Amino acid sequence: MMCAMTLVRQYARSVLSAKTLLVYSFLLGFLLYMVTPFLIIFFNSFGKGWYGMRWLPQEWTLNWYQWAIEVADIPEIMKNTLVIAGIAVVISTLIALPTGWALGRRHIPGKELLTALILLPRMIPAITFALGVAKIFYGLHLVDTFLGVALAHVALAAPYAILVLSATFESLDERVLEASAVCGASPAQGFFYVILPLILPGILSSIIFTFTTSYNEFTMTLMTYGPHTVTLPVRTYLAVGEGYWEVSSAMAVILIIPSLFILFLIQRQLQPEKLVGGFKGV
Amino acid sequence: MSDYMIEFVNVTKRYGDIVANEHITLQIKRGELMTLLGPSGCGKTTALRCLTGHNHPDEGRIFIDGQDVTDLPTYKRNLGMVFQNFALFPHMTAFENVEFPLRIRGLSQSERREKVVEALKLVRLEGYGSHFPRQLSGGQQQRIGLARALVYRPSVLLLDEPLSNLDAKLREEMRFEIKDLQVRLGITAVYVTHDQEEALALSDRVAIMNKGRIEQVGTPEEIYERPGSQFVADFIGLSNFLEGTVTAVEGETTYLAVDNLSLGLATTAGARVGQRVLAFVRPNEVELAAPGTMSGPEVLEGVVEKMTYLGDKVDYRLRLGDRLMLRVQSGGTVRFKAGERVAVRLPMERCRVIGGGKA
Ligand SMILES: Nc1ncnc2c1ncn2[C@@H]1O[C@H](COP(=O)(O)OP(=O)(O)OP(=O)(O)O)[C@@H](O)[C@H]1O
Ligand SMILES: [Mg+2]
């Protein structure tokens, strides 16, 4: 009897470990699936003569980066990209602060419908939306201006910002603000000592989301850019079209540097769960 | 210097059609703990918010320490307040929470440090300064709330159901702790609760509120022993109401016809024959005995309809005559079972008349 029990237990344990193994192999497979393209681009950007079935390039070189910087004018294009992202962040935040406040703290009839409408630009296919925007912008002479491209990005970035900020403002406890007043804090002191520290993480995550949205945006830029407003994603795409695989790989690597930097910032300063929590199921 | 620390003069506050406070007039003495007691929605919080300045009364004035504060913003009123949901600043440690009012008042760092340490000691949480609110239990959070409200020695301490988010045992413990602190510091306090036991245990005086009005103000003993209205008698403790017509007044005894029963009461001034009277008696003041063992004008007979054993006491529901139901609680063992006949004595001096009865 005793023996049978032990056997059963051992069997259970082996099944368990098989399960664990399965989970790990799935995770590993997924990780490979995600990382492999990065690795290929990375090697491609530093390698020479990497064709056919080789595991690694024959030779290592920095030529492609030199080309990207000197011939394709990447520093200028990076500047465009960052300026456009900056403008998009400022405009999105300015729109999202009052809108998020209204959605998060007031009882507005038809709130659900409003939220759905705000999300509309994110729901319909980007190319459809971008076409419409382009048509309007041609009429307004906004094509090939920093403001124009940034505004096109705002349509996609602001909904994120509004959702994050309205969740942030919604979680502000009225009674905590009342407590600060009873403690003797004037409205201004209450704002700086209590409200601001409580909403700062939300504002930061909203800024990060809008920034990355604009920085990574491709479709909306493609329909609104011009010679003066080429951004890094678009330039990378164009380089592929021109047949320079290695140079576009170098650009692609440069493209991810700021994203990595932001990821590092998020890891250090904010808990990612908190940022995602801000979405409340969206 | 005014005799009163806090005065409500004819304060009315409406929310649309709802009159949350109606002509509230109330004086609270220096160093006194006054409780606002009443059922949910009777306007206790509203009255307190008028005092803090979070509400502006539609009519009437409010004075703190002789000064008219009706139009003064909250932050200039020098109040301390403890909140039902604690309302600590979640981004500050316990120490920083208590320090906050001192920082606002521009005290130097060494002064702040000294006072915060003292306040944390006062609420017996010396070692917890570096904890964040979410790392503290409900009782500890509320003690930090208390320390934050007291650290700057405000002129008045306000407490809005400070214990209702705590479990029963802790609630009772902290009740005495709060009372002890209030007495030791000699601070005037306004305490809001709908828990009558808490109110009786803590208060110097109690203001009973009902539907936005103050029904009665008095010491715990006064409102328990001499309730001024049926509402108060009903709300404070358990009561049996006896409504009837005076049939005769003979010296010390007034005879009352309640339904088809005749009951003797101790005579109160001005009892007239034919007058409608409402009297009440507490369930634990009624005596029970075997039928036929007691006699007198205050003795009736009845049947036990329901008996409930409650451990330290037994609860009986009796039927007297055709309709009159009487609730009786007596200590000790079960003496009567459902269906048994009992003699019921309603001691004359314990059957007290409320006002003139209902019209
Ligand atoms: N901001 C408000 N807007 C509209 N009506 C309100 C508001 N605040 C309170 N009321 C109403 O005013 C009345 C008194 O409310 P109040 O909060 O003062 O009651 P309370 O005695 O504190 O009750 P509780 O014991 O439940 O806390 C209630 O009928 C309530 O619905
Ligand atoms: Mg209340």
Side-chain angles (χ1 to χ4, degrees):
Chain A
M1 204 56 217
M2 210 49 209
C3 190
M5 290 276 283
T6 327
L7 267 177
V8 165
R9 216 172 290 149
Q10 258 170 8
Y11 176 72
R13 208 172 298 148
S14 72
V15 165
L16 249 182
S17 66
K19 243 188 192 167
T20 321
L21 215 71
L22 204 69
V23 168
Y24 271 110
S25 43
F26 259 118
L27 276 176
L28 211 70
F30 187 62
L31 208 68
L32 263 170
Y33 173 71
M34 287 208 313
V35 168
T36 312
F38 280 121
L39 287 178
I40 288 177
I41 293 298
F42 191 76
F43 287 141
N44 213 12
S45 73
F46 287 107
K48 222 176 203 172
W50 196 30
Y51 311 109
M53 296 301 284
R54 291 175 176 283
W55 277 105
L56 286 171
Q58 275 176 314
E59 253 182 81
W60 300 97
T61 175
L62 284 172
N63 269 357
W64 315 125
Y65 285 90
Q66 200 183 346
W67 277 37
I69 290 167
E70 284 172 9
V71 181
D73 210 6
I74 287 304
E76 183 66 19
I77 287 167
M78 176 64 100
K79 195 202 78 188
N80 290 351
T81 315
L82 292 178
V83 168
I84 289 168
I87 299 175
V89 165
V90 170
I91 296 176
S92 302
T93 310
L94 287 182
I95 293 173
L97 279 173
T99 318
W101 184 269
L103 282 178
R105 301 214 53 92
R106 315 244 155 199
H107 302 282
I108 301 174
K111 198 162 166 173
E112 285 73 23
L113 189 70
L114 268 173
T115 315
L117 277 178
I118 287 169
L119 280 170
L120 203 60
R122 301 214 60 100
M123 302 295 190
I124 54 182
I127 189 72
T128 313
F129 190 71
L131 269 174
V133 169
K135 184 101 179 71
I136 299 169
F137 279 17
Y138 273 110
L140 295 173
H141 303 291
L142 278 169
V143 171
D144 197 20
T145 62
F146 283 157
L147 182 66
V149 179
L151 275 177
H153 291 180
V154 164
L156 296 182
Y160 268 146
I162 291 171
L163 287 181
V164 172
L165 288 184
S166 74
T168 303
F169 294 146
E170 203 175 344
S171 67
L172 259 189
D173 187 350
E174 190 72 39
R175 285 161 294 193
V176 169
L177 308 184
E178 289 179 0
S180 82
V182 173
C183 285
S186 68
Q189 285 170 320
F191 180 78
F192 283 109
Y193 284 117
V194 179
I195 299 183
L196 200 57
L198 287 177
I199 63 175
L200 212 53
I203 292 180
L204 265 180
S205 61
S206 148
I207 287 176
I208 288 171
F209 273 120
T210 46
F211 179 85
T212 47
T213 302
S214 167
Y215 182 83
N216 298 335
E217 184 49 35
F218 177 70
T219 317
M220 296 299 281
T221 320
L222 200 63
M223 304 304 293
T224 49
Y225 89 103
H228 305 103
T229 50
V230 182
T231 66
L232 210 41
V234 168
R235 188 70 195 86
T236 309
Y237 169 75
L238 292 177
V240 176
E242 291 156 8
Y244 300 107
W245 255 108
E246 289 84 358
V247 180
S248 17
S249 297
M251 291 178 186
V253 171
I254 296 173
L255 183 61
I256 54 175
I257 291 172
S259 303
L260 288 178
F261 182 67
I262 287 175
L263 204 68
F264 173 75
L265 263 185
I266 294 177
Q267 276 287 326
R268 288 288 301 274
Q269 299 293 320
L270 310 152
Q271 297 103 311
E273 317 86 71
K274 241 187 189 169
L275 295 182
V276 179
F279 277 113
K280 284 182 52 173
V282 170
Chain B
M1 206 161 85
S2 166
D3 282 348
Y4 298 117
M5 196 64 199
I6 298 168
E7 274 181 280
F8 285 79
V9 182
N10 209 18
V11 170
T12 296
K13 173 71 191 172
R14 297 182 198 89
Y15 294 110
D17 291 339
I18 300 170
V19 188
N21 281 169
E22 196 174 0
H23 303 300
I24 299 265
T25 294
L26 182 65
Q27 282 107 8
I28 301 170
K29 291 179 215 143
R30 238 164 248 291
E32 178 176 50
L33 192 151
M34 170 73 84
T35 296
L36 304 182
L37 176 65
S40 188
C42 70
K44 308 178 293 287
T45 299
T46 304
L48 209 61
R49 290 174 63 85
C50 286
L51 191 55
T52 59
H54 288 118
N55 283 344
H56 191 271
D58 297 309
E59 288 165 38
R61 310 301 297 175
I62 290 173
F63 298 84
I64 296 177
D65 205 2
Q67 186 197 0
D68 185 341
V69 298
T70 318
D71 299 314
L72 205 64
T74 304
Y75 69 98
K76 290 185 180 164
R77 294 192 184 191
N78 195 32
L79 305 166
M81 181 154 178
V82 179
F83 295 81
Q84 178 175 3
N85 70 336
F86 318 137
L88 298 178
F89 306 122
H91 59 298
M92 299 185 196
T93 61
F95 187 96
E96 289 165 342
N97 263 282
V98 180
E99 188 189 25
F100 178 74
L102 304 176
R103 231 163 71 193
I104 293 295
R105 285 166 175 73
L107 269 69
S108 76
Q109 183 162 9
S110 58
E111 275 178 296
R112 296 202 305 254
R113 177 152 205 93
E114 188 185 321
K115 281 179 194 270
V116 172
V117 167
E118 188 189 329
L120 287 177
K121 197 181 279 173
L122 207 62
V123 296
R124 301 192 287 116
L125 282 179
E126 293 103 318
Y128 290 84
S130 60
H131 287 58
F132 281 93
R134 61 175 182 280
Q135 300 170 315
L136 296 170
S137 73
Q140 290 168 334
Q141 287 188 53
Q142 198 54 300
R143 287 210 192 93
I144 294 296
L146 199 57
R148 183 181 66 181
L150 291 171
V151 70
Y152 49 101
R153 293 297 134 88
S155 50
V156 173
L157 177 64
L158 309 175
L159 308 103
D160 190 355
E161 310 210 18
L163 305 182
S164 60
N165 281 356
L166 307 179
D167 66 57
K169 193 158 176 340
L170 192 58
R171 200 150 59 211
E172 186 159 357
E173 247 175 66
M174 285 217 40
R175 189 190 285 170
F176 292 109
E177 223 167 286
I178 288 177
K179 179 67 191 172
D180 182 53
L181 270 179
Q182 184 261 335
V183 171
R184 254 200 293 162
L185 301 176
I187 192 168
T188 311
V190 184
Y191 193 103
V192 165
T193 181
H194 55 240
D195 181 337
Q196 45 139 331
E197 202 183 302
E198 206 168 282
L200 295 179
L202 273 173
S203 318
D204 296 309
R205 285 194 302 155
V206 182
I208 309 274
M209 291 185 67
N210 180 26
K211 294 185 185 142
R213 292 173 160 276
I214 290 187
E215 287 260 346
Q216 188 178 359
V217 182
T219 63
E221 201 184 345
E222 274 166 8
I223 57 162
Y224 186 81
E225 291 297 332
R226 292 184 290 286
S229 66
Q230 181 173 13
F231 175 82
V232 176
D234 203 22
F235 193 73
I236 305 291
L238 295 169
S239 290
N240 292 297
F241 292 102
L242 308 160
E243 192 178 0
T245 313
V246 176
T247 49
V249 181
E250 289 170 8
E252 302 282 278
T253 310
T254 298
Y255 290 88
L256 200 62
V258 183
D259 293 337
N260 51 355
L261 306 168
S262 176
L263 179 67
L265 302 177
T267 301
T268 48
R272 287 174 290 101
V273 173
Q275 189 187 4
R276 295 287 291 172
V277 160
L278 180 69
F280 79 98
V281 62
R282 305 280 185 196
N284 59 351
E285 293 166 341
V286 179
E287 290 167 30
L288 298 180
T293 55
M294 296 190 293
S295 64
E298 78 274 30
V299 176
L300 301 170
E301 254 194 36
V303 182
V304 178
E305 289 249 309
K306 192 168 192 300
M307 181 277 292
T308 313
Y309 180 67
L310 296 175
D312 57 339
K313 59 193 171 219
V314 186
D315 186 284
Y316 299 97
R317 279 158 211 263
L318 309 178
R319 179 184 297 280
L320 309 183
D322 301 331
R323 286 196 294 127
L324 186 64
M325 294 300 297
L326 198 69
R327 194 153 168 204
V328 180
Q329 290 186 338
S330 66
T333 52
V334 178
R335 288 188 295 152
F336 305 98
K337 296 217 160 55
E340 280 186 58
R341 289 195 70 78
V342 282
V344 182
R345 196 169 82 86
L346 303 155
M348 281 197 197
E349 70 289 352
R350 302 308 305 163
C351 293
R352 286 143 289 175
V353 172
I354 301 171
K358 280 194 298 191

